Amino acid sequence: YAKSTITISFSFVLTSPPSPMIDWRQAPLVGRDSQVQAIREALASPQARCILIHGLSGTGKSFLALRTLQRKAYGHGKYDQFTQFPYSAIETALHGFVRQCAPSTLESAARLFAPPEVALLCSVFGFLSRAFPGQNRPTEERMHTEAAMLRFHRLVRRLIGALGTSALPCILFLDDLQWADDNSRRLLNAILTD
């Protein structure tokens, strides 16, 4: 864990399985006041880079996080035990956040990167080619070397920093990290230990 990680333990047990017909945006959070408050305090902390909510499967951790983030701009990505595409949940979450960014924020972020850097980011996160139009040129660089991987990690850290503002911090909610692929784990480690 990075020094800036805030861990929230979760030990609530559901007595019956949740109905798939429940709209999580409307369902009440019952008996979760302390966890909601801990997440809100962590989100407000300038030192927090990561909020880790852990607990047993099926206890409502995702529901709690989604409800707590309901009035914030965030991106949500979920790892899947059967689908292990590199960076899948990070890409989905980042894409969700980018869709909420103002065009001026995206333009400012794009100016911070040289064309080869944008090309490398877009080669992994294809949706960025729409966020940074005219900046994406094909790249010959591939992620096959350790140097390329480290360069990519630095670029993603810079991108997250460029997209987040004090008014709109870059919040990425990554669900089911236990199923994350090795590349995602390495990238998250690089982001959190910068």
Side-chain angles (χ1 to χ4, degrees):
Y1 299 91
K3 289 181 183 176
S4 55
T5 299
I6 297 170
T7 303
I8 299 169
S9 295
F10 199 85
S11 58
F12 184 81
V13 179
L14 296 174
T15 55
S16 62
S19 167
M21 302 305 290
I22 293 175
D23 180 358
W24 65 266
R25 293 166 295 208
Q26 304 300 322
L29 280 171
V30 178
R32 315 266 179 100
D33 294 342
S34 63
Q35 287 99 357
V36 168
Q37 186 61 30
I39 293 171
R40 287 186 178 148
E41 287 173 8
L43 287 168
S45 170
Q47 290 81 28
R49 281 186 143 177
C50 176
I51 302 169
L52 179 62
I53 302 172
H54 68 89
L56 296 173
S57 178
T59 57
K61 299 176 300 297
S62 299
F63 178 77
L64 173 70
L66 289 168
R67 281 299 302 276
T68 305
L69 292 171
Q70 192 172 4
R71 290 186 175 82
K72 299 204 174 286
Y74 69 94
H76 177 211
K78 183 175 175 65
Y79 286 102
D80 183 313
Q81 122 185 54
F82 302 109
T83 309
Q84 296 260 324
F85 295 113
Y87 312 111
S88 63
I90 297 171
E91 179 175 18
T92 302
L94 196 53
H95 189 197
F97 183 78
V98 164
R99 284 193 308 244
Q100 298 172 67
C101 289
S104 60
T105 300
L106 296 176
E107 290 166 9
S108 296
R111 284 193 296 270
L112 298 175
F113 296 94
E117 294 173 328
V118 172
L120 180 57
L121 285 167
C122 291
S123 72
V124 178
F125 299 141
F127 73 89
L128 285 175
S129 61
R130 290 183 301 280
F132 299 150
Q135 301 244 351
N136 180 26
R137 294 193 316 228
T139 181
E140 296 299 317
E141 185 168 19
R142 297 289 177 242
M143 302 285 283
H144 301 300
T145 67
E146 187 67 22
M149 189 79 77
L150 293 174
R151 195 166 22 265
F152 175 69
H153 291 171
R154 283 192 300 273
L155 290 174
V156 173
R157 282 196 314 258
R158 281 179 45 210
L159 176 65
I160 290 171
L163 292 174
T165 65
S166 58
L168 186 71
C170 185
I171 299 173
L172 305 179
F173 170 39
L174 303 175
D175 206 351
D176 289 333
L177 280 174
Q178 73 273 19
W179 305 121
D181 59 279
D182 288 339
N183 287 333
S184 291
R185 291 171 195 250
R186 289 182 66 195
L187 176 56
L188 290 171
N189 185 56
I191 292 169
L192 296 174
T193 58
D194 175 21

Short mmCIF file of all heavy atoms in Angstrom, two decimals, residues 11 17 21 25 31 43 52 59 70 82 87 90 107 114-117 122 130 171-173 180 188 190 192:
data_model
loop_
_atom_site.label_atom_id
_atom_site.label_comp_id
_atom_site.label_asym_id
_atom_site.label_seq_id
_atom_site.Cartn_x
_atom_site.Cartn_y
_atom_site.Cartn_z
N SER A 11 -17.45 -4.91 7.02
CA SER A 11 -17.81 -6.21 7.58
C SER A 11 -19.32 -6.41 7.67
O SER A 11 -19.80 -7.19 8.45
CB SER A 11 -17.18 -6.38 8.96
OG SER A 11 -17.62 -5.35 9.81
N PRO A 17 -29.86 -12.22 -0.68
CA PRO A 17 -29.21 -11.64 -1.85
C PRO A 17 -29.99 -10.43 -2.36
O PRO A 17 -31.21 -10.39 -2.28
CB PRO A 17 -29.24 -12.78 -2.88
CG PRO A 17 -30.23 -13.76 -2.38
CD PRO A 17 -30.38 -13.55 -0.91
N MET A 21 -33.40 -6.18 -9.58
CA MET A 21 -34.34 -5.15 -10.02
C MET A 21 -34.22 -3.86 -9.22
O MET A 21 -34.86 -2.87 -9.54
CB MET A 21 -35.79 -5.68 -9.93
CG MET A 21 -36.03 -6.94 -10.74
SD MET A 21 -35.58 -6.75 -12.48
CE MET A 21 -36.86 -5.65 -13.01
N ARG A 25 -29.42 3.71 -7.28
CA ARG A 25 -29.45 5.15 -7.04
C ARG A 25 -30.58 5.54 -6.10
O ARG A 25 -30.56 6.61 -5.52
CB ARG A 25 -29.57 5.89 -8.36
CG ARG A 25 -28.32 5.73 -9.23
CD ARG A 25 -28.60 6.17 -10.61
NE ARG A 25 -29.61 5.26 -11.17
CZ ARG A 25 -29.75 4.97 -12.44
NH1 ARG A 25 -28.97 5.53 -13.32
NH2 ARG A 25 -30.66 4.13 -12.86
N GLY A 31 -27.53 1.59 7.96
CA GLY A 31 -26.49 1.12 8.86
C GLY A 31 -25.09 1.29 8.31
O GLY A 31 -24.16 0.61 8.73
N LEU A 43 -12.25 11.21 0.58
CA LEU A 43 -12.36 11.94 -0.68
C LEU A 43 -11.99 13.41 -0.51
O LEU A 43 -11.45 14.03 -1.43
CB LEU A 43 -13.78 11.83 -1.24
CG LEU A 43 -14.16 10.48 -1.84
CD1 LEU A 43 -15.66 10.42 -2.10
CD2 LEU A 43 -13.38 10.21 -3.12
N LEU A 52 -9.14 2.30 -0.38
CA LEU A 52 -9.32 0.87 -0.56
C LEU A 52 -10.44 0.39 0.35
O LEU A 52 -10.35 0.51 1.57
CB LEU A 52 -8.02 0.13 -0.24
CG LEU A 52 -8.04 -1.39 -0.35
CD1 LEU A 52 -8.34 -1.81 -1.78
CD2 LEU A 52 -6.72 -1.96 0.10
N THR A 59 -21.00 -8.19 0.24
CA THR A 59 -21.38 -7.40 1.41
C THR A 59 -21.80 -5.97 1.07
O THR A 59 -22.10 -5.19 1.96
CB THR A 59 -20.24 -7.36 2.45
OG1 THR A 59 -19.07 -6.85 1.82
CG2 THR A 59 -19.98 -8.75 3.01
N GLN A 70 -22.14 9.15 -5.88
CA GLN A 70 -23.27 9.49 -6.73
C GLN A 70 -23.29 10.95 -7.19
O GLN A 70 -23.63 11.23 -8.31
CB GLN A 70 -24.57 9.16 -6.00
CG GLN A 70 -25.79 9.20 -6.88
CD GLN A 70 -27.00 8.66 -6.14
OE1 GLN A 70 -26.94 8.34 -4.98
NE2 GLN A 70 -28.10 8.57 -6.84
N PHE A 82 -13.10 -13.69 -15.76
CA PHE A 82 -13.00 -14.45 -17.00
C PHE A 82 -12.47 -13.62 -18.17
O PHE A 82 -12.15 -14.16 -19.21
CB PHE A 82 -14.36 -15.04 -17.37
CG PHE A 82 -14.90 -15.93 -16.28
CD1 PHE A 82 -15.97 -15.53 -15.51
CD2 PHE A 82 -14.30 -17.16 -16.01
CE1 PHE A 82 -16.45 -16.34 -14.49
CE2 PHE A 82 -14.77 -17.96 -14.99
CZ PHE A 82 -15.86 -17.56 -14.23
N TYR A 87 -5.38 -3.68 -18.69
CA TYR A 87 -5.88 -2.35 -18.33
C TYR A 87 -7.38 -2.17 -18.53
O TYR A 87 -7.88 -1.04 -18.57
CB TYR A 87 -5.15 -1.25 -19.13
CG TYR A 87 -3.66 -1.36 -19.15
CD1 TYR A 87 -2.99 -1.69 -20.32
CD2 TYR A 87 -2.91 -1.15 -18.00
CE1 TYR A 87 -1.61 -1.79 -20.36
CE2 TYR A 87 -1.54 -1.25 -18.02
CZ TYR A 87 -0.90 -1.57 -19.20
OH TYR A 87 0.47 -1.67 -19.23
N ILE A 90 -9.24 0.00 -15.88
CA ILE A 90 -8.64 1.33 -15.84
C ILE A 90 -9.09 2.12 -17.07
O ILE A 90 -9.49 3.27 -16.97
CB ILE A 90 -7.10 1.26 -15.76
CG1 ILE A 90 -6.67 0.59 -14.46
CG2 ILE A 90 -6.48 2.65 -15.89
CD1 ILE A 90 -5.19 0.27 -14.37
N GLU A 107 -8.46 20.04 -23.62
CA GLU A 107 -7.52 20.81 -24.46
C GLU A 107 -6.26 21.15 -23.67
O GLU A 107 -5.15 21.05 -24.20
CB GLU A 107 -8.19 22.09 -24.97
CG GLU A 107 -9.28 21.81 -25.99
CD GLU A 107 -10.16 23.03 -26.25
OE1 GLU A 107 -9.84 24.15 -25.75
OE2 GLU A 107 -11.19 22.86 -26.93
N ALA A 114 3.61 15.70 -25.79
CA ALA A 114 4.15 15.74 -27.15
C ALA A 114 3.40 14.72 -28.00
O ALA A 114 2.88 13.73 -27.47
CB ALA A 114 5.65 15.42 -27.12
N PRO A 115 3.33 14.92 -29.31
CA PRO A 115 2.61 13.98 -30.17
C PRO A 115 3.00 12.51 -29.98
O PRO A 115 2.11 11.65 -29.94
CB PRO A 115 2.90 14.48 -31.59
CG PRO A 115 3.07 15.96 -31.40
CD PRO A 115 3.78 16.10 -30.07
N PRO A 116 4.29 12.17 -29.82
CA PRO A 116 4.60 10.74 -29.59
C PRO A 116 4.03 10.21 -28.27
O PRO A 116 3.67 9.04 -28.17
CB PRO A 116 6.13 10.69 -29.58
CG PRO A 116 6.58 11.93 -30.25
CD PRO A 116 5.52 12.95 -29.99
N GLU A 117 3.92 11.08 -27.26
CA GLU A 117 3.35 10.67 -25.98
C GLU A 117 1.85 10.42 -26.12
O GLU A 117 1.32 9.44 -25.60
CB GLU A 117 3.62 11.73 -24.91
CG GLU A 117 5.08 11.89 -24.58
CD GLU A 117 5.36 13.06 -23.66
OE1 GLU A 117 4.64 14.08 -23.72
OE2 GLU A 117 6.31 12.94 -22.85
N CYS A 122 -2.76 6.77 -26.71
CA CYS A 122 -3.89 6.35 -27.56
C CYS A 122 -3.74 4.92 -28.06
O CYS A 122 -4.73 4.25 -28.34
CB CYS A 122 -4.04 7.30 -28.75
SG CYS A 122 -4.62 8.95 -28.29
N ARG A 130 -10.29 10.30 -29.49
CA ARG A 130 -11.44 11.21 -29.63
C ARG A 130 -11.31 12.39 -28.65
O ARG A 130 -11.77 13.49 -28.94
CB ARG A 130 -12.74 10.46 -29.39
CG ARG A 130 -13.07 9.48 -30.50
CD ARG A 130 -14.40 8.79 -30.31
NE ARG A 130 -14.52 8.03 -29.07
CZ ARG A 130 -14.04 6.81 -28.86
NH1 ARG A 130 -13.37 6.20 -29.82
NH2 ARG A 130 -14.21 6.19 -27.72
N ILE A 171 -11.42 10.87 -10.16
CA ILE A 171 -11.79 9.74 -9.31
C ILE A 171 -12.06 8.54 -10.21
O ILE A 171 -12.95 8.59 -11.06
CB ILE A 171 -13.03 10.07 -8.46
CG1 ILE A 171 -12.76 11.25 -7.54
CG2 ILE A 171 -13.47 8.83 -7.66
CD1 ILE A 171 -13.99 11.75 -6.79
N LEU A 172 -11.28 7.50 -10.02
CA LEU A 172 -11.47 6.25 -10.76
C LEU A 172 -11.86 5.17 -9.76
O LEU A 172 -11.09 4.84 -8.87
CB LEU A 172 -10.18 5.86 -11.49
CG LEU A 172 -9.59 6.91 -12.44
CD1 LEU A 172 -8.31 6.40 -13.06
CD2 LEU A 172 -10.60 7.32 -13.50
N PHE A 173 -13.05 4.63 -9.92
CA PHE A 173 -13.53 3.55 -9.05
C PHE A 173 -13.28 2.24 -9.78
O PHE A 173 -13.88 1.96 -10.80
CB PHE A 173 -15.01 3.74 -8.75
CG PHE A 173 -15.66 2.57 -8.06
CD1 PHE A 173 -15.00 1.84 -7.08
CD2 PHE A 173 -16.95 2.19 -8.40
CE1 PHE A 173 -15.61 0.76 -6.46
CE2 PHE A 173 -17.57 1.12 -7.78
CZ PHE A 173 -16.89 0.40 -6.81
N ALA A 180 -7.72 -8.21 -11.34
CA ALA A 180 -6.93 -7.34 -12.21
C ALA A 180 -5.78 -8.12 -12.85
O ALA A 180 -5.16 -8.97 -12.23
CB ALA A 180 -6.38 -6.16 -11.42
N LEU A 188 -1.17 0.46 -11.56
CA LEU A 188 -1.71 1.00 -10.31
C LEU A 188 -0.61 1.20 -9.28
O LEU A 188 -0.59 2.21 -8.55
CB LEU A 188 -2.80 0.07 -9.73
CG LEU A 188 -4.10 0.06 -10.55
CD1 LEU A 188 -5.02 -1.04 -10.04
CD2 LEU A 188 -4.78 1.41 -10.50
N ALA A 190 2.48 1.89 -9.93
CA ALA A 190 3.24 3.05 -10.36
C ALA A 190 2.50 4.35 -10.04
O ALA A 190 3.10 5.33 -9.61
CB ALA A 190 3.52 2.98 -11.86
N LEU A 192 0.27 4.84 -7.63
CA LEU A 192 0.13 5.05 -6.19
C LEU A 192 1.44 5.25 -5.46
O LEU A 192 1.45 5.74 -4.33
CB LEU A 192 -0.63 3.88 -5.56
CG LEU A 192 -2.07 3.73 -6.05
CD1 LEU A 192 -2.70 2.48 -5.49
CD2 LEU A 192 -2.88 4.96 -5.68
#
